[in-house]
């Protein structure tokens, strides 16, 4: 390795260590605050992502989750059996697919939700549905993780409102963080620095550096074609790809249109990355794991790592695309 390459690798490891330390510090601060409250005999309210405070219910026995990410978070905390209804897209773990489906996005069935008599409804965003449910007397908690640290914080708040031991959420996050660290260390130096286009929607919407996917790219030592300081997820014209000239395409392909659809985009057939097959298309369960900022964060990182290894000609563990 050249002196310059060694310096870049060392700087990358230092950046990784700094980010993981920062996330770990945020988690430790939350745990210390929770322990201080317990010692003082106080029950602090859980503040959701609207800034609304909720006193933890004495018992949440009937839970509705209208977010796939939150459904997965509830289940990894060991409270899947409390779910009585989920949104249309909640599909992991498999057991939740047997629960009543209550719609998606702007088309939730409010009456059907209320009829399940939930002690609490989990939502990923504010909007008319929140007010409709609250008018019916249904408690709502809005949690919308956007970055890695938010995933840890969401797990901690869910454990608290569900009356679960804080150590359970801490263990889940520690396992995620450990796997992220191992994955970051496992990518060879020669494969780092690739300018990467992460398209989560064919509009296209791209994952920026300040999104959880952008953080995952940075952890793996990959460069994001979206400029720093952009919104977490940004719309970009397809023509902009000709200027950005990515070295790697990571594409959401839920309809399984394949490479032919990419080559049909004006000018894209001239892009070296496309001509040389440096493309990973994600659909089905792999796409779900990649784009949900929840407890499968490390699996998404592994899929990205394996994608890089595949397009660079190294053996990868598991499916990275097609």
């Amino acid at each position: 390795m050249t002196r310059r390459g060694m310096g870049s690798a060392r700087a990358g490891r230092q950046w990784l260590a700094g980010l993981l330390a920062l996330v770990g510090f945020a988690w430790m601060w939350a745990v210390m605050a929770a322990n201080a409250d317990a010692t003082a005999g106080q029950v602090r309210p859980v503040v959701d992502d609207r800034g609304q405070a909720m006193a933890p219910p004495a018992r949440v026995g009937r839970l509705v989750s209208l977010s796939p990410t939150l459904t997965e978070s509830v289940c990894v905390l060991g409270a899947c059996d409390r779910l009585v209804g989920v949104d249309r897209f909640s599909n992991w773990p498999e057991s939740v697919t047997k629960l009543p489906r209550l719609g998606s996005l702007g088309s939730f069935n409010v009456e059907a939700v209320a009829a399940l008599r939930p002690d609490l409804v989990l939502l990923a965003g504010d909007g008319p549905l929140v007010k409709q449910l609250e008018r019916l007397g249904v408690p709502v908690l809005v949690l919308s993780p956007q970055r890695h640290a938010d995933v840890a914080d969401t797990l901690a708040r869910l454990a608290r409102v569900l009356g679960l031991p804080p150590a359970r959420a801490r263990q889940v996050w520690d396992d995620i963080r450990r796997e992220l660290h191992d994955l970051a260390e496992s990518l060879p130096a020669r494969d780092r620095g690739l300018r990467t286009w992460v398209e989560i929607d064919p509009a296209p919407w791209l994952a920026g550096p300040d999104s959880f996917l952008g953080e995952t790219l940075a952890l793996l030592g990959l460069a994001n074609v979206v400029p720093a300081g952009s919104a977490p997820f940004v719309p970009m014209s397809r023509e902009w790809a000709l200027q950005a000239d990515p070295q790697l395409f990571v594409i959401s392909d839920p309809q399984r249109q394949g490479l032919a659809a990419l080559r049909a985009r004006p000018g894209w057939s001239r892009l070296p990355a496309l001509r040389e097959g440096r493309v990973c298309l994600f659909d089905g369960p792999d796409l779900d794991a990649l784009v949900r900022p929840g407890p499968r964060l490390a699996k998404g990182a592994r899929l990205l790592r394996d994608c890089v290894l595949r397009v660079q000609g190294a053996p990868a563990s598991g499916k990275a695309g097609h």
Side-chain angles (χ1 to χ4, degrees), residues 207-289:
D210 286 336
S211 68
F212 71 95
L213 279 168
E215 288 184 307
T216 299
L217 283 184
L219 278 173
L220 295 173
L222 303 174
N224 197 323
V225 296
V226 178
S230 301
F233 297 96
V234 295
M236 290 288 189
S237 70
R238 293 177 177 180
E239 291 73 19
W240 187 72
L242 306 179
Q243 176 185 340
D245 190 19
Q247 296 172 300
L248 172 65
F249 282 101
V250 175
I251 305 287
S252 167
D253 186 27
Q255 304 303 319
R256 301 186 178 182
Q257 295 178 310
L259 288 173
L262 298 184
R263 295 190 180 105
R265 295 180 178 182
W268 277 43
S269 61
R270 302 195 305 270
L271 288 167
L274 197 56
R275 290 202 313 268
E276 296 165 13
R278 283 181 270 115
V279 180
C280 292
L281 302 172
F282 289 92
D283 57 55
D286 283 353
L287 177 59
D288 293 339

Side-chain angles (χ1 to χ4, degrees), residues 127-141:
L129 177 63
V130 174
K131 295 178 177 57
Q132 292 171 353
L133 288 170
E134 290 180 336
R135 279 198 297 268
L136 293 172
V138 178
V140 176
L141 190 70

Side-chain angles (χ1 to χ4, degrees), residues 13-177:
R13 288 194 295 271
Q14 291 171 345
W15 185 94
L16 166 64
L19 177 59
L20 291 172
L22 180 62
V23 172
F25 177 79
W27 175 261
M28 288 174 60
W29 180 89
V31 171
M32 288 171 64
N35 289 341
D37 291 337
T39 301
Q42 299 173 352
V43 179
R44 287 181 58 207
V46 175
V47 179
D48 72 6
D49 289 338
R50 297 173 294 165
Q52 297 292 316
M54 168 187 287
R59 166 71 177 167
V60 178
R62 298 181 62 81
L63 182 65
V64 166
S65 172
L66 301 181
S67 158
T69 293
L70 299 180
T71 299
E72 295 183 10
S73 300
V74 167
C75 287
V76 298
L77 290 172
C80 229
D81 59 334
R82 304 194 198 182
L83 289 166
V84 295
V86 293
D87 67 289
R88 172 187 168 194
F89 294 109
S90 285
N91 55 7
W92 188 93
E94 187 178 356
S95 60
V96 304
T97 62
K98 301 178 177 64
L99 295 170
R101 318 296 269 184
L102 302 167
S104 61
L105 301 177
S107 60
F108 289 112
N109 188 327
V110 179
E111 291 75 16
V113 173
L116 290 172
R117 297 177 289 106
D119 300 314
L120 182 66
V121 172
L122 301 176
L123 279 165
D126 201 356
L129 177 63
V130 174
K131 295 178 177 57
Q132 292 171 353
L133 288 170
E134 290 180 336
R135 279 198 297 268
L136 293 172
V138 178
V140 176
L141 190 70
V142 176
L143 298 171
S144 184
Q146 300 294 322
R147 307 193 66 178
H148 287 191
D150 297 336
V151 175
D153 188 47
T154 294
L155 289 166
R157 283 186 287 175
L158 278 174
R160 186 170 186 174
V161 82
L162 296 176
L164 301 172
R168 188 175 300 179
R170 186 164 61 250
Q171 184 61 59
V172 170
W173 176 246
D174 284 348
D175 290 345
I176 294 170
R177 188 175 57 169

